[in-house]
């Protein structure tokens, strides 16, 4: 005889998804309150990323807003302003902003997985860097990253490289049609490539993007999140160097226009990586699925399972301290509690006997 187990159902009769354990922290249950060493869910998504931009050749700039070691900041009025964003590629192509009025800000818990982002105000904040290449190798280059904007109907640059005439030659932006767009401009006007994403990119959500110049195929190409490449094709490789005059430095959050900075990003950047070649489709998919998409759509921990070897009191919060007035947890009885991903810790206090509380994060 075969016995089947019925799945639990919600009020509408739909099957409730099974919970999967992903990590357990142990808490000493003793005479004094003790808490989990790390916030619940803080380390789940970094571990989920299986590749990094540094795994691919040709990397010349790489910025991560959630790596505090790369951000040099000043604080004023409780706000952290970015004065330098260090390049992680090893090429030393750092981005800086010495002018206080033009400095973007650090947003704690700004990312979808609860970690920091860097925000532009859409008005004046931006960062500038050195010339990252004088001519893309074989007139090819790639930029990938994650960003978001809440503004609509306006062109806003995420990253840009201009020539000495302040004309954008290679850049990625949220455009006035609320799409993500890559711009590749050859020496001839006919070679201007501006393929847009299909999906709405200015919806206030995080998006993964790829902008690619593929001169071998004569294309500027854009991909947003999981969509296929959108192609601007002039039918042949770019006939002239993309930079007909000496390129100026790179910029984040704006374009260095002929009248000064313009098209400021009113939104956040989580990560940006720039390559001096066109990544292959296989490389892009690997980088998208193994690095970018976990930043955009992470597996969010919202529930923790508690099991204690001894009777105890349990408290939940960003800096919890358990007392006898908090929730009572009997020994050996599993309890599920809702937590705020990346913020909450769980503390325990014994009733009479020392023991251990197991805190298992589940998704």
């Amino acid at each position: 005889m075969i016995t089947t187990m019925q799945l639990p159902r919600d009020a509408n009769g739909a099957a409730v998804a099974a919970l999967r354990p992903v990590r357990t922290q142990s808490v000493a249950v003793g005479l004094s309150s003790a808490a989990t060493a790390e916030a619940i869910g803080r380390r789940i998504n970094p571990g989920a990323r299986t590749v990094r931009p540094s795994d691919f050749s040709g990397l010349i700039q790489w910025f991560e807003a959630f790596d505090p070691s790369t951000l040099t900041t000043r604080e004023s009025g409780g706000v952290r302003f970015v004065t330098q964003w260090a390049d992680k590629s090893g090429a030393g192509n750092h981005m800086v902003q010495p002018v206080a009025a033009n400095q973007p800000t650090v947003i704690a818990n700004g990312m979808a997985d609860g970690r920091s982002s860097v925000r532009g105000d859409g008005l004046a904040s931006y960062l500038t860097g050195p010339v990252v290449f004088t001519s893309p190798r074989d007139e090819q280059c790639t930029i990938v990253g994650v960003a978001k904007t809440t503004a609509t109907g306006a062109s806003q640059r995420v990253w840009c490289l201009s020539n000495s005439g302040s004309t954008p030659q290679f850049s990625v932006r949220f455009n006035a049609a609320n799409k993500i767009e890559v711009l590749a401009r050859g020496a001839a006007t006919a070679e201007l490539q501006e393929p847009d994403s299909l999906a709405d990119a200015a919806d206030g959500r995080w998006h993964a993007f790829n902008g690619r110049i593929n001169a071998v195929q004569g294309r500027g190409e854009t991909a947003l999140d999981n969509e296929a490449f959108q192609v601007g094709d002039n039918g042949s490789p770019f006939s002239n160097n993309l930079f007909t005059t000496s390129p100026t430095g790179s910029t984040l959050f704006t374009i260095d226009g002929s009248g000064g900075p313009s098209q400021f990003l009113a939104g956040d950047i989580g990560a940006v990586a720039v390559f001096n070649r066109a990544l292959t489709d296989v490389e892009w998919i690997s980088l998208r699925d193994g690095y970018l998409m976990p930043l955009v759509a992470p597996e969010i921990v919202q529930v923790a399972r508690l099991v204690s070897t001894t009777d105890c009191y349990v408290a939940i919060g960003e800096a919890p301290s358990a007392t006898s007035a908090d929730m009572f947890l009997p020994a050996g009885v599993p309890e599920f509690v809702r937590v705020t991903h990346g913020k909450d810790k769980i503390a325990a206090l014994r009733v009479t006997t020392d023991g251990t509380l197991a805190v298992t994060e589940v998704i």
Side-chain angles (χ1 to χ4, degrees):
M1 180 178 178
I2 299 176
T3 302
T4 60
M5 183 180 69
Q6 296 295 317
L7 292 174
R9 309 244 170 208
D10 62 21
N12 297 317
V16 176
L19 293 173
R20 173 166 63 90
V22 291
R23 181 178 67 146
T24 297
Q25 296 187 66
S26 295
V27 179
V29 180
L31 187 60
S32 299
S33 175
T36 50
E38 294 184 7
I40 305 301
R42 175 62 71 182
R43 298 185 61 185
I44 296 303
N45 293 291
R49 280 176 226 122
T50 57
V51 299
R52 300 290 189 275
S54 54
D55 295 332
F56 304 91
S57 65
L59 182 65
I60 55 175
Q61 276 189 316
W62 178 22
F63 305 103
E64 289 186 329
F66 42 85
D67 183 349
S69 69
T70 66
L71 296 175
T72 302
T73 62
R74 68 174 180 87
E75 186 167 336
S76 177
V79 179
R80 292 174 60 204
F81 295 89
V82 179
T83 60
Q84 176 177 287
W85 198 347
D87 171 24
K88 298 181 64 170
S89 74
N93 292 317
H94 311 310
M95 307 297 278
V96 299
Q97 182 51 268
V99 180
N102 299 128
Q103 291 166 354
T105 57
V106 179
I107 304 301
N109 302 306
M111 293 290 294
D113 66 356
R115 295 183 299 160
S116 297
S117 62
V118 175
R119 177 169 295 173
D121 62 7
L123 298 171
S125 57
Y126 66 101
L127 297 165
T128 61
V131 174
V132 292
F133 38 62
T134 56
S135 175
R137 191 180 70 184
D138 298 327
E139 298 176 9
Q140 300 181 47
C141 38
T142 303
I143 177 171
V144 304
V146 293
K148 70 173 183 177
T149 178
T150 55
T152 57
S155 292
Q156 307 161 77
R157 304 283 171 164
V158 177
W159 180 95
C160 185
L161 191 69
S162 303
N163 65 20
S164 60
S166 299
T167 300
Q169 297 302 101
F170 177 44
S171 64
V172 170
R173 69 180 178 180
F174 294 98
N175 65 20
N178 301 327
K179 311 291 185 181
I180 263 286
E181 172 184 88
V182 61
L183 182 147
R185 188 192 305 268
T189 303
E191 292 178 347
L192 181 65
Q193 304 289 328
E194 295 182 279
D196 298 358
S197 65
L198 292 177
D200 181 5
D203 54 8
R205 296 185 300 173
W206 285 99
H207 289 286
F209 62 83
N210 175 25
R212 180 171 68 176
I213 299 176
N214 194 338
V216 173
Q217 299 168 320
R219 293 175 171 177
E221 301 169 313
T222 302
L224 182 71
D225 297 334
N226 289 308
E227 73 181 11
F229 278 108
Q230 309 306 309
V231 178
D233 195 341
N234 67 3
S236 63
F238 288 101
S239 60
N240 295 283
N241 191 293
L242 290 170
F243 300 96
T244 55
T245 58
S246 299
T248 60
S250 50
T251 55
L252 280 170
F253 297 99
T254 190
I255 173 182
D256 182 13
S258 57
S262 62
Q263 297 188 17
F264 294 97
L265 173 63
D268 295 40
I269 294 176
V272 170
V274 183
F275 300 82
N276 66 1
R277 66 183 182 89
L279 295 182
T280 67
D281 288 358
V282 171
E283 289 173 324
W284 156 242
I285 291 172
S286 175
L287 193 55
R288 178 196 69 189
D289 294 346
Y291 178 72
L292 298 174
M293 290 309 295
L295 291 170
V296 170
E299 294 180 312
I300 298 296
V301 173
Q302 294 181 306
V303 175
R305 182 184 65 196
L306 311 179
V307 181
S308 177
T309 61
T310 185
D311 291 351
C312 64
Y313 303 104
V314 173
I316 303 171
E318 293 188 41
S321 179
T323 72
S324 59
D326 288 309
M327 182 184 79
F328 173 68
L329 181 66
V333 178
E335 181 68 84
F336 290 85
V337 295
R338 183 174 294 278
V339 293
T340 301
H341 170 85
K343 290 185 178 181
D344 284 342
K345 295 182 177 181
I346 295 178
L349 175 72
R350 77 178 194 187
V351 175
T352 55
T353 307
D354 288 354
T356 302
L357 172 68
V359 179
T360 301
E361 300 167 19
V362 292
I363 54 177

